[in-house]
Amino acid sequence: MSTITDSAPTPSRSATAVILAAGRGTRMRSERPKVMHPLAGQPMLRYLLENAQQVFDRIVIVIGPGMDDVAAIAAPHAVVVQSDRLGTAHAALQAQAQFGTGDVAVLYGDNPLITAETMRELLACRRQPGVGLALLAMRPADPGRYGRVVTQGENVQRIVEWADATPQERRIDLCNAGVLCADAGDFRRWLNAVSNDNAQGEYYLGDVVTQAVSEGACVRAVVAAEDELRGINSRAELAVAEACVQTRLRHAAMDRGVTLIAPETVFLCADTDLAPDVVVHPHVVFGPGVKVERDVEIQSFSHLAQCIVRMGAQIGPYARLRPGSDVGARAHVGNFVELKATTLGEGAKANHLTYLGNARVGARTNIGAGTITCNYDGVFKHVTVIGEGCFIGSDTILVAPVTLGTGAMTAAGSVITGDVADNAMAFGRARQENRDGYAEEFRNRLKDAKERG
């Protein structure tokens, strides 16, 4: 086995990655292609593509019929279709016209967590003098049904699939990750020589190792971490991979200067952008498309998606920022406050029990508890504009479209249906009337009615 830490691919020799992504995800019990299942908010295939792009000159993705969504994720890379699913070696053969003349590595879309560093190690191992074929292997805590790597000294002799392995071979702890790398010409020849004489009647990519050894080629294994090489074939394995991705993302955030008070309770997306000196309290969830600037504090049980939070703002606890929201510098979004497609100006505050949808709130404006914008009429969304320095009284209902000018105020409990001028105060409620003794009279009437049944 080889462990390469300081070698790099030869610049003058091209390298092609072939990614097998035709799996239907049968064990997922899903109509969605396997590689489209998300990890940290993005399809698992995207992780492999992003890392492969750092290493390989050309990428080819093998998909199944009708997988237009996979082809869209793969763009602008070349895509070929495996019309008949006859095994992994057969899938790789569909891309042979795209191999070129350099080295070719075959990867799997459902092994999405292989790092660029490990891919470079694989290429470097293959390019060592005398090495004809390199593969990735691992020693998982539970070898399970992985194919086993049979070795003699440093050299790999063959790959045996679990279904075809003897009891002695199943006790081998070195497992095949399925990833192979060889010269393009050799790879074509070995792939075309693979047969389907096995328990499943399929053309296994692992049998390329047998072909290489039969020709006297030296085959070496690069051993990498299980967390990188684990396959995803079921919902349970998807959950394990999600945990691995979350651990990576949390550590990366903390390395950038983010404070995660209880990291294991914070869930990030692959594109979550947290600046240094952001503090995240326990049990916060970040959906896709979130950007948080410096010195922001996000308190527990808040949920953010497709929004931006500016420098020094305070979020939560129990806040929800929905798509299109923009929270200004030093603004406050408090407990049980929801924003949707809303801009909250610098220093503005919505601290309690409020819904603001399709709203533009000016700087230093205070939104009282229980305020809501009625932005949807059943067909259209309408905008509420609130100027700078306004004071919106508790339990105000703002029926959009409506505009409140700079410095405007609303009385608590008002329903505002018309525009409010600068520095004006709006009363949108019925005038209070007190009737002396009426409360006692009313209670007595109710008691009499109850007694009469």
Side-chain angles (χ1 to χ4, degrees):
M1 279 69 71
S2 299
T3 301
I4 311 298
T5 57
D6 55 1
S7 299
T10 306
S12 59
R13 185 173 175 84
S14 67
T16 298
V18 176
I19 298 176
L20 307 186
R24 287 174 291 197
T26 304
R27 288 172 57 191
M28 293 276 194
R29 302 291 191 270
S30 175
E31 296 297 321
R32 178 186 297 175
K34 188 192 304 185
V35 298
M36 293 300 293
H37 284 265
L39 291 172
Q42 70 176 13
M44 66 172 79
L45 177 60
R46 193 179 296 279
Y47 291 90
L48 199 58
L49 286 170
E50 289 173 353
N51 286 331
Q53 286 167 175
Q54 301 176 47
V55 179
F56 295 95
D57 304 294
R58 182 170 52 254
I59 298 175
V60 185
I61 297 91
V62 181
I63 67 173
M67 290 186 173
D68 295 340
D69 49 354
V70 180
I73 291 291
H77 304 294
V79 171
V80 296
V81 178
Q82 182 189 21
S83 298
D84 299 310
R85 294 177 172 88
L86 303 179
T88 50
H90 178 263
L93 268 175
Q94 309 314 298
Q96 63 176 322
Q98 308 276 350
F99 282 6
T101 58
D103 289 312
V104 173
V106 178
L107 306 124
Y108 291 80
D110 58 6
N111 284 84
L113 304 184
I114 302 173
T115 63
E117 179 183 4
T118 295
M119 294 179 193
R120 292 188 185 98
E121 290 182 6
L122 179 71
L123 272 176
C125 179
R126 150 65 198 112
R127 288 169 175 175
Q128 287 179 331
V131 176
L133 177 68
L135 59 88
L136 292 183
M138 60 180 170
R139 288 189 169 88
D142 178 13
R145 300 178 70 89
Y146 284 110
R148 302 310 203 257
V149 181
V150 181
T151 61
Q152 184 175 5
E154 289 191 342
N155 294 338
V156 175
Q157 295 299 301
R158 68 183 186 281
I159 304 294
V160 57
E161 296 297 326
W162 187 90
D164 301 311
T166 66
Q168 183 178 358
E169 289 169 335
R170 289 179 182 179
R171 287 195 290 270
I172 296 172
D173 68 348
L174 187 63
C175 295
N176 178 34
V179 176
L180 303 179
C181 184
D183 172 79
D186 292 338
F187 222 144
R188 287 192 192 92
R189 185 174 67 257
W190 293 333
L191 281 170
N192 280 285
V194 169
S195 77
N196 64 345
D197 184 16
N198 53 61
Q200 300 297 318
E202 293 188 357
Y203 297 90
Y204 290 138
L205 185 63
D207 287 346
V208 166
V209 176
T210 303
Q211 298 299 324
V213 171
S214 70
E215 289 188 7
C218 174
V219 181
R220 294 284 177 85
V222 174
V223 181
E226 178 184 4
D227 283 350
E228 281 192 52
L229 302 185
R230 63 173 74 250
I232 302 174
N233 296 293
S234 66
R235 301 283 183 169
E237 290 172 348
L238 183 68
V240 173
E242 177 74 28
C244 293
V245 173
Q246 289 297 330
T247 297
R248 288 186 189 182
L249 294 174
R250 292 163 186 154
H251 282 290
M254 290 185 286
D255 287 344
R256 293 193 304 270
V258 176
T259 295
L260 304 180
I261 293 175
E264 69 280 2
T265 71
V266 175
F267 287 83
L268 305 167
C269 269
D271 63 352
T272 302
D273 184 356
L274 304 179
D277 292 321
V278 168
V279 176
V280 182
H281 289 250
H283 303 290
V284 172
V285 176
F286 294 91
V290 177
K291 178 180 175 63
V292 182
E293 295 182 354
R294 299 184 75 104
D295 299 319
V296 168
E297 184 173 10
I298 303 174
Q299 299 190 52
S300 295
F301 301 104
S302 296
H303 189 288
L304 298 81
Q306 296 179 32
C307 62
I308 184 167
V309 183
R310 308 287 179 177
M311 184 178 297
Q314 298 284 318
I315 307 297
Y318 294 98
R320 187 178 182 197
L321 305 186
R322 293 173 60 194
S325 295
D326 186 331
V327 179
R330 294 174 295 284
H332 290 190
V333 179
N335 48 292
F336 302 103
V337 173
E338 178 180 353
L339 306 186
K340 168 66 167 68
T342 288
T343 299
L344 205 60
E346 181 175 351
K349 296 179 180 180
N351 279 325
H352 321 281
L353 304 162
T354 290
Y355 170 70
L356 299 175
N358 298 95
R360 307 290 179 265
V361 180
R364 303 177 308 285
T365 283
N366 187 86
I367 306 293
T371 295
I372 65 170
T373 57
C374 298
N375 58 317
Y376 183 48
D377 62 10
V379 179
F380 300 105
K381 296 288 182 70
H382 300 280
V383 174
T384 298
V385 178
I386 303 174
E388 295 185 0
C390 292
F391 186 92
I392 308 302
S394 296
D395 269 339
T396 294
I397 297 175
L398 299 161
V399 183
V402 66
T403 297
L404 283 71
T406 300
M409 300 180 70
T410 68
S414 293
V415 178
I416 304 301
T417 58
D419 292 349
V420 182
D422 292 355
N423 297 309
M425 184 171 185
F427 294 81
R429 62 192 184 198
R431 183 179 297 277
Q432 180 174 320
E433 177 184 352
N434 296 340
R435 299 183 180 183
D436 293 339
Y438 186 77
E440 184 178 7
E441 178 186 340
F442 182 70
R443 282 193 297 268
N444 290 335
R445 284 164 47 196
L446 292 176
K447 290 176 182 177
D448 291 342
K450 183 177 181 181
E451 289 173 0
R452 294 193 304 272

